Amino acid sequence: EVQLVESGGGLVQPGGSLRLSCAASGFTLSSYWMHWVRQVPGEGLAWVSRINADGSSATYADSVRGRFTNYKDSARNTLYLQMNSLRVEDTAVYFCTRGPLNGYHIQYWGQGTLVTVSS
Amino acid sequence: EIVLTQSPGTLSLSPGERATLSCRASQSISNNYLAWYQQKPGQAPRLLIYLTSNRATGIPDRFSGSGSGTDFTLTISGLEPEDFAVYYCLHYDTSRGTFGQGTKVDIK
C-alpha cells in the first residue's frame, strides 16, 4: 500500500527556515516523480514543486523559486522540501504527492503538514 | 504559464441530479494533460480523472471527463450524497502543474 507521511511543519518566524519530510512506503521513491502541493486553510490548491524519478531535476512555482529546494534521499526513501526565507504568505498545509509510474499527474497524496509563518 | 479557470464557483444541486463542472485553460493544453480531483473537508484531495478522460482506479463510472484544447468538463451523472465536495482541475506537464481555483458542489 502506498503511504506518504509528511512531518516537519510548525510555527516559524518570517525569514526563517524549515525542512519538511515525506516518508514514503509501499514503493521505491527513486522510481517516481514527486510533487509538493500547498493549500492555505479554506482556500484552493497550489502546485509548489516537482522532482523527477532519479532526483536529478526539480522545478518550482515562481513564488518559491530560489527559496525552496526539493530533493530525495533514496537511502531513506524520503522526500524533502527545504524552505528558506519564509514569508507570511507561505503559510499553508503542505502535501507530499506521488505521480504514477508512467505519467506526470498526481496520483497519491499524503495527509499534509501545516506550516505557519508568523511573528 | 497556463491559467485554469473553473466555473461555476459553486454548484447547488440535489442528490440524483447531474453535475457539469467546467475548466477552461488560457492556452491550449497538449497531450490532454488534464486531471480532476475531489476534496472533502479535512481530507487530502483524491484523484478522479487523468489524461482528460481516464477514470482512476476505484472511481465510480458516474464520474466522467471530457474535452480538448482549452475546454474541459467533469460530469457527475447522478449525484450521490458522498459527492458533495470541492473539485479541482489540474494541468500538468513535464515541468510544472497548475490548479484551477475549484468548484464547490453543495446540497441544494
Side-chain angles (χ1 to χ4, degrees):
Chain A
E1 179 192 4
V2 172
Q3 285 199 316
L4 300 167
V5 179
E6 302 95 334
S7 61
L11 175 64
V12 61
Q13 292 189 335
S17 297
L18 212 55
R19 188 181 75 165
L20 304 184
S21 301
C22 172
S25 59
F27 68 99
T28 301
L29 196 64
S30 58
S31 296
Y32 293 86
W33 289 46
M34 302 291 292
H35 304 253
W36 290 95
V37 175
R38 69 185 182 185
Q39 184 172 37
V40 175
E43 298 188 9
L45 301 169
W47 178 85
V48 173
S49 175
R50 76 98 177 115
I51 188 167
N52 64 351
D54 67 8
S56 62
S57 171
T59 57
Y60 302 89
D62 292 345
S63 58
V64 307
R65 188 177 300 115
R67 301 187 298 122
F68 289 13
T69 303
N70 185 4
Y71 63 101
K72 295 179 175 181
D73 184 334
S74 296
R76 290 181 165 81
N77 217 42
T78 299
L79 179 73
Y80 296 98
L81 186 68
Q82 176 67 44
M83 304 186 295
N84 298 330
S85 303
L86 281 161
R87 304 168 180 169
V88 170
E89 55 266 34
D90 294 319
T91 295
V93 174
Y94 284 74
F95 294 100
C96 167
T97 74
R98 197 204 84 174
L101 194 56
N102 294 300
Y104 305 110
H105 58 278
I106 291 170
Q107 185 179 24
Y108 292 100
W109 297 70
Q111 284 305 302
T113 186
L114 176 62
V115 172
T116 303
V117 184
S118 174
S119 55
Chain B
E1 179 184 336
I2 291 179
V3 175
L4 299 181
T5 301
Q6 292 187 240
S7 61
T10 301
L11 196 52
S12 296
L13 295 169
S14 300
E17 288 193 294
R18 181 186 190 91
T20 303
L21 287 66
S22 171
C23 177
R24 181 159 292 175
S26 59
Q27 305 170 41
S28 184
I29 289 177
S30 58
N31 300 306
N32 287 327
Y33 282 164
L34 195 288
W36 290 92
Y37 299 84
Q38 176 194 68
Q39 188 178 32
K40 297 179 181 179
Q43 295 184 17
R46 175 175 71 144
L47 174 66
L48 300 175
I49 301 287
Y50 64 97
L51 283 173
T52 298
S53 59
N54 294 270
R55 265 189 304 278
T57 302
I59 301 303
D61 60 9
R62 64 180 180 272
F63 291 91
S64 64
S66 62
S68 65
T70 60
D71 291 313
F72 298 84
T73 301
L74 175 70
T75 302
I76 311 171
S77 60
L79 284 163
E80 296 288 342
E82 62 268 26
D83 299 336
F84 292 93
V86 180
Y87 293 83
Y88 295 94
C89 57
L90 166 69
H91 164 59
Y92 54 92
D93 58 27
T94 57
S95 63
R96 63 176 297 116
T98 305
F99 286 95
Q101 82 279 20
T103 289
K104 182 178 183 180
V105 179
D106 66 13
I107 299 177
K108 187 173 181 181

